[in-house]
Amino acid sequence: MSELAPLISDLALILICAGVMTLIFKRLKQPLVLGYIVAGFLASPHFTLTPSVIDTTSIHTWSEIGVIFLLFALGLEFSFKKLVKVGGTAVIAACSIIFSMIMIGMTVGWSFGWKSMDCLYLGGMLAMSSTTIIYKAFDDLGLRQQRFAGLVLSILIIEDILAIVLMVLLSTVAVSQNFEGGEMVLSIGKLVFFLILWFVVGIYLIPIFLKRSKKWVSDETMLILSLAMCFGMVVLAAKVGFSPAFGAFIMGSILAETVEAETIEKLVAPVKDLFGAIFFVSVGMMVDPAMIVEYIGPIIAITLAILLGQTILGTGGVVLAGQPLKVAMQCGFSLTQIGEFAFIIASLGVSLNVTSSFLYPIVVAVSVITTFLTPYMIRLAVPAYQYVDKRMPLKWKLMLERYASGSHTVNSESNWKKLLVDIGRIVAVYSVLCVAVILLSFHFVIPLLYAIMPEVWAKWTSVVFTILCISPFLRAIVMKKNHSIEFQALWQDNRFNRAPLVSTIVLRMIIAVGFILFVVRRLFDASTLLVIAIALVLVVLMIFSRSLKKQSIYMERTFIQNLRFRDTHAEFTGQKRPKYEGHLLSRDLHLSDFDIPADSLWAGCTLKELNLGNKYGVHVASVIRGLHRINIPGAEVRLFPGDTIQVIGTDEQLSVFGKEVQKVSAAAEENEIEKREMHIKQIVVGEHSVFLGKTIQTSNIREAYHCLVVGVEKGNGRLLTPEPQMAFEIGDVIWVVGEQKNVYKLMENQIINQ
């Protein structure tokens, strides 16, 4: 008999423990995260009453995969556009929370007399709340759709991004024993560069790829493709020095902008649940009772520091960002734990030999304790707010309300500000693309050309190829926004604006010339002035090139269409409200959706027949029928069961209209059911029958009596399928189907005429 691999037996033990604890915690109506952690403790070597996991290294690897899946799923639900919408609030809150928690962590470390490096790393560990734990807790508690949950997840993503910068800073401090500003700036620049590059290229290419391969993609293929893209980005992120989980989130955010996002999310969910469970079980396996007893003092102190620090200072950071007190307290109470980034920072300190050996087990214990407390802290937020709200002075309440409402005031942007922001965005994005193309060319294309061509030809070919590849981007850098409304308005408004406007064009031309100069000088040892002159001529030719103009416009239009397509598709199918709805609110008009019931009196009627405008004062803006949409429907458009109509009107008009929509036809009334029952009868064709010699078509049985001939029985006893031209003969038996009153009316007429 073959021996079972330890990994399989370990997986069996983990899933059995997780399954049993899941049922128990479901029965107790407790979050599943806690059940997974208890299951991990039961499967660990620290609990001797049950079998223990043998191959802990493999389980740790599987738990890392679980983190990847959890953040990939988070990215699918939290796209870049959502992040931008709450970006200002999230950035302010995240930065204030991180700074406050670092100070608290360092203070706690100093109070125990730890060395400065332990204190600094402890502050870094306490600064990052656990995305995976909070995400799972929100999921289990059914809170992910609430307003504060979206803000919490925004803060967590900002924290994850800043955690990368923090890790670089801590590494620099560990090596040099002081802060290196240059290394910090380089790290931030690298992060911004790859974020822009991945987002722009991903949004441009991935939707096109999915759209063109749609006919060959099944659910199975879509799952494999999405996971391939996820782990491909994970590998790429790790190669350039970022967290693998960060790469998974980036790919999830890119796929979130595609129409297939919901499908991918459903397909990935079972895999995410499996590996996510293994991750939380692995966290529970780190619980060591002996370690907790030995370091009970620091563990309690750090746990209290996290709970009090996040509930007080975390709440303060969200209030500072302009949120109401209730939302701020819900956010602060939700962030009271540390997780995966704390483990990464602790491992970094151990690998660099700059932290003490006791720091890692303490952080693991604190993480487990705060993870246990997270669901209860989330639930405690509203009662705590009610307690504070009752005892808060009225003066403070009014001050907080004014501050929160004032932070959302939107100021009109000047033409200069809008123009410069747009130009800065364009220059940044296209410069990143130019740098990426140049790097790819110098690392892959040019070495290949040198291998297959003589050196001189390889140099010239490399220069021409690289400049041609970046030429659409260079033209966009120079020419975009030069004919915009803001540019024209500033040009016409004041002649003193013209010199600064021209200078923006000249500055962008210098940037474009700089890219060409860099490419040429890397391959040729030529005079700088000569290369500048050649580069200037090339930039001028790019500006006047019609083909480059068309190519640049096409690429930008394709990118914008891909970015907006999911929202446009959702609006088209009625899953999202149209944009013009917001303009109606200021005029006391609203847009509402109404479904036409299957038994509605209106089903089958045209809009002209219904005359909704005159009867109810409302206007039908659109009729949505499955994946088809009829905008501004004409009078002859018919309504069918299952249609969704988008109607514009006031609150009172829509209320009356909604009641009318739900009215059903008289056919559904109870006293009509028996009358509308269908019957089948036989009619014998005699010598004096009105149907003798007539065909089914000319007998008018269907038109005059609303009955249906379903068969004709001839003299030989055979029941024939009726044909329109079949003539009735003496002795034929006509089988008819119809409502009771119609069938008997037909039979009475037959008897009378005979």
Side-chain angles (χ1 to χ4, degrees):
M1 184 175 179
S2 60
E3 185 178 351
L4 192 64
L7 178 61
I8 298 177
S9 59
D10 289 344
L11 181 60
L13 176 62
I14 286 175
L15 293 181
I16 290 172
C17 292
V20 171
M21 297 312 300
T22 296
L23 293 175
I24 293 174
F25 275 71
K26 272 286 188 180
R27 176 71 176 173
L28 298 175
K29 297 182 179 180
Q30 298 299 314
L32 295 184
V33 173
L34 304 182
Y36 291 140
I37 293 176
V38 172
F41 175 70
L42 296 178
S44 69
H46 307 297
F47 191 77
T48 58
L49 299 180
T50 58
S52 301
V53 169
I54 301 172
D55 190 0
T56 55
T57 303
S58 297
I59 300 302
H60 177 69
T61 303
W62 285 36
S63 69
E64 290 182 345
I65 297 175
V67 174
I68 290 172
F69 276 115
L70 286 169
L71 287 186
F72 179 58
L74 178 63
L76 286 171
E77 293 189 357
F78 201 81
S79 66
F80 276 105
K81 286 188 291 187
K82 292 181 182 178
L83 184 61
V84 170
K85 289 179 183 178
V86 293
T89 300
V91 169
I92 294 173
C95 291
S96 59
I97 291 171
I98 288 175
F99 177 78
S100 301
M101 293 308 297
I102 289 177
M103 293 296 103
I104 288 177
M106 295 177 66
T107 303
V108 172
W110 283 330
S111 67
F112 284 101
W114 296 346
K115 62 181 183 180
S116 58
M117 202 59 66
D118 288 336
C119 298
L120 181 60
Y121 269 76
L122 178 63
M125 296 173 203
L126 303 193
M128 305 298 166
S129 299
S130 174
T131 303
T132 51
I133 292 171
I134 295 176
Y135 177 81
K136 187 67 176 176
F138 282 167
D139 200 22
D140 292 340
L141 296 173
L143 299 175
R144 272 170 44 198
Q145 303 303 321
Q146 294 196 13
R147 175 187 174 186
F148 83 94
L151 180 56
V152 169
L153 295 176
S154 302
I155 294 172
L156 291 170
I157 297 305
I158 299 296
E159 286 187 353
D160 288 347
I161 294 173
L162 294 177
I164 300 167
V165 180
L166 181 61
M167 288 170 61
V168 174
L169 177 62
L170 292 174
S171 301
T172 305
V173 172
V175 174
S176 61
Q177 298 299 315
N178 55 59
F179 292 90
E180 291 287 343
E183 189 73 21
M184 179 75 170
V185 172
L186 182 62
S187 173
I188 296 174
K190 180 182 176 182
L191 176 63
V192 172
F193 172 81
F194 281 104
L195 276 176
I196 294 174
L197 178 63
W198 289 337
F199 180 69
V200 172
V201 175
I203 293 299
Y204 185 82
L205 294 179
I206 291 178
I208 295 176
F209 167 73
L210 293 177
K211 192 182 300 181
R212 293 183 178 177
S213 59
K214 187 174 183 179
K215 63 174 75 172
W216 301 293
V217 174
S218 61
D219 285 351
E220 179 183 359
T221 311
M222 179 61 75
L223 175 62
I224 300 302
L225 284 175
S226 58
L227 294 185
M229 288 185 281
C230 171
F231 280 91
M233 183 59 76
V234 165
V235 173
L236 184 59
K239 290 288 186 183
V240 297
F242 296 138
S243 165
F246 179 69
F249 166 75
I250 293 295
M251 180 51 66
S253 298
I254 294 172
L255 290 175
E257 308 299 343
T258 66
V259 180
E260 293 79 8
E262 288 85 358
T263 302
I264 295 173
E265 187 177 350
K266 291 178 182 177
L267 294 173
V268 172
V271 186
K272 175 204 72 175
D273 292 339
L274 172 62
F275 285 99
I278 295 175
F279 165 73
F280 290 110
V281 169
S282 69
V283 172
M285 291 171 60
M286 298 178 187
V287 177
D288 184 356
M291 176 268 299
I292 294 176
V293 172
E294 184 177 356
Y295 297 104
I296 190 65
I299 289 172
I300 293 175
I302 295 173
T303 301
L304 292 176
I306 293 173
L307 297 178
L308 296 177
Q310 289 286 10
T311 53
I312 298 174
L313 299 179
T315 298
V318 180
V319 169
L320 182 65
Q323 294 298 316
L325 180 60
K326 181 178 180 180
V327 174
M329 291 187 68
Q330 287 177 304
C331 292
F333 277 69
S334 299
L335 296 170
T336 53
Q337 75 293 118
I338 57 175
E340 53 277 1
F341 267 111
F343 303 148
I344 295 173
I345 293 175
S347 301
L348 179 66
V350 172
S351 63
L352 295 174
N353 295 318
V354 294
T355 57
S356 302
S357 58
F358 60 80
L359 193 58
Y360 191 95
I362 286 178
V363 169
V364 172
V366 172
S367 174
V368 172
I369 295 172
T370 53
T371 299
F372 265 103
L373 296 176
T374 294
Y376 304 107
M377 294 298 294
I378 295 174
R379 290 172 174 170
L380 184 62
V382 174
Y385 164 74
Q386 294 171 348
Y387 178 84
V388 172
D389 187 60
K390 289 180 181 178
R391 289 159 178 77
M392 181 182 293
L394 180 61
K395 182 178 179 181
W396 290 15
K397 288 184 184 179
L398 295 175
M399 181 183 67
L400 289 175
E401 290 175 0
R402 284 196 300 269
Y403 181 78
S405 60
S407 66
H408 297 289
T409 303
V410 179
N411 298 318
S412 59
E413 295 182 330
S414 66
N415 286 331
W416 266 117
K417 181 180 180 181
K418 192 173 188 312
L419 178 65
L420 293 178
V421 169
D422 288 343
I423 290 176
R425 173 179 51 82
I426 289 168
V427 171
V429 170
Y430 284 107
S431 296
V432 166
L433 293 175
C434 288
V435 172
V437 170
I438 292 172
L439 290 175
L440 290 173
S441 179
F442 275 79
H443 281 83
F444 298 102
V445 178
I446 293 178
L448 178 62
L449 293 175
Y450 269 81
I452 62 177
M453 289 183 179
E455 183 177 349
V456 175
W457 285 104
K459 287 183 178 181
W460 281 106
T461 306
S462 301
V463 168
V464 172
F465 173 80
T466 306
I467 293 177
L468 282 176
C469 288
I470 65 174
S471 56
F473 308 138
L474 296 181
R475 189 191 183 281
I477 289 175
V478 177
M479 295 303 295
K480 289 291 181 183
K481 305 304 292 184
N482 291 348
H483 301 286
S484 64
I485 297 174
E486 297 82 14
F487 192 99
Q488 298 296 332
L490 290 168
W491 186 274
Q492 299 293 335
D493 183 55
N494 193 329
R495 62 189 181 90
F496 293 105
N497 288 336
R498 298 179 181 180
L501 290 171
V502 172
S503 67
T504 61
I505 301 175
V506 173
L507 181 61
R508 286 180 282 162
M509 287 188 68
I510 293 173
I511 294 173
V513 169
F515 277 112
I516 298 176
L517 178 64
F518 174 81
V519 172
V520 176
R521 287 301 302 272
R522 283 293 298 264
L523 295 171
F524 290 97
D525 188 15
S527 169
T528 303
L529 292 177
L530 176 63
V531 175
I532 292 175
I534 294 173
L536 190 58
V537 171
L538 290 176
V539 170
V540 173
L541 292 175
M542 292 175 190
I543 292 173
F544 290 100
S545 172
R546 289 185 174 273
S547 61
L548 286 180
K549 179 180 179 181
K550 291 181 180 178
Q551 189 176 359
S552 177
I553 292 174
Y554 171 78
M555 288 190 298
E556 185 167 344
R557 186 175 299 163
T558 302
F559 175 81
I560 293 174
Q561 287 176 346
N562 290 344
L563 186 62
R564 297 179 53 199
F565 187 69
R566 184 183 179 187
D567 290 339
T568 306
H569 183 269
E571 183 178 325
F572 181 82
T573 55
Q575 300 173 21
K576 183 180 178 181
R577 315 295 286 178
K579 294 180 181 178
Y580 68 80
E581 180 186 15
H583 298 283
L584 299 174
L585 298 177
S586 60
R587 301 182 180 275
D588 197 29
L589 293 175
H590 302 274
L591 180 77
S592 293
D593 294 353
F594 297 95
D595 294 327
I596 304 299
D599 49 3
S600 173
L601 283 169
W602 295 355
C605 299
T606 64
L607 294 179
K608 181 179 180 180
E609 293 169 346
L610 295 173
N611 198 19
L612 303 178
N614 289 334
K615 288 183 178 179
Y616 308 107
V618 298
H619 304 280
V620 179
S622 302
V623 177
I624 302 170
R625 188 171 296 148
L627 295 178
H628 301 282
R629 184 186 185 96
I630 306 172
N631 290 324
I632 319 300
E636 300 305 320
V637 172
R638 292 186 183 275
L639 298 182
F640 294 99
D643 283 355
T644 298
I645 55 176
Q646 293 187 332
V647 181
I648 297 175
T650 63
D651 285 338
E652 294 77 11
Q653 292 169 340
L654 293 175
S655 177
V656 174
F657 180 79
K659 295 177 182 178
E660 291 297 319
V661 171
Q662 297 303 320
K663 285 188 176 180
V664 297
S665 64
E669 296 180 6
E670 187 175 349
N671 59 357
E672 290 287 322
I673 293 178
E674 291 186 6
K675 295 180 181 179
R676 305 303 295 268
E677 185 180 2
M678 298 287 282
H679 293 265
I680 184 169
K681 294 293 182 181
Q682 296 88 33
I683 299 175
V684 180
V685 179
E687 293 182 1
H688 305 288
S689 173
V690 294
F691 302 130
L692 180 62
K694 294 183 179 180
T695 64
I696 294 177
Q697 187 173 9
T698 59
S699 66
N700 289 329
I701 292 177
R702 183 166 190 153
E703 292 77 8
Y705 301 100
H706 302 288
C707 293
L708 177 67
V709 178
V710 295
V712 178
E713 186 177 338
K714 293 293 184 180
N716 55 10
R718 288 193 307 154
L719 185 64
L720 303 178
T721 302
E723 297 290 342
Q725 303 305 322
M726 179 182 292
F728 297 123
E729 302 173 354
I730 295 177
D732 286 352
V733 179
I734 307 172
W735 292 65
V736 295
V737 171
E739 292 182 7
Q740 182 178 8
K741 63 178 181 179
N742 294 327
V743 172
Y744 281 106
K745 181 180 178 182
L746 173 62
M747 295 179 67
E748 289 174 2
N749 183 64
Q750 167 79 355
I751 294 171
I752 292 173
N753 284 280
Q754 286 183 344

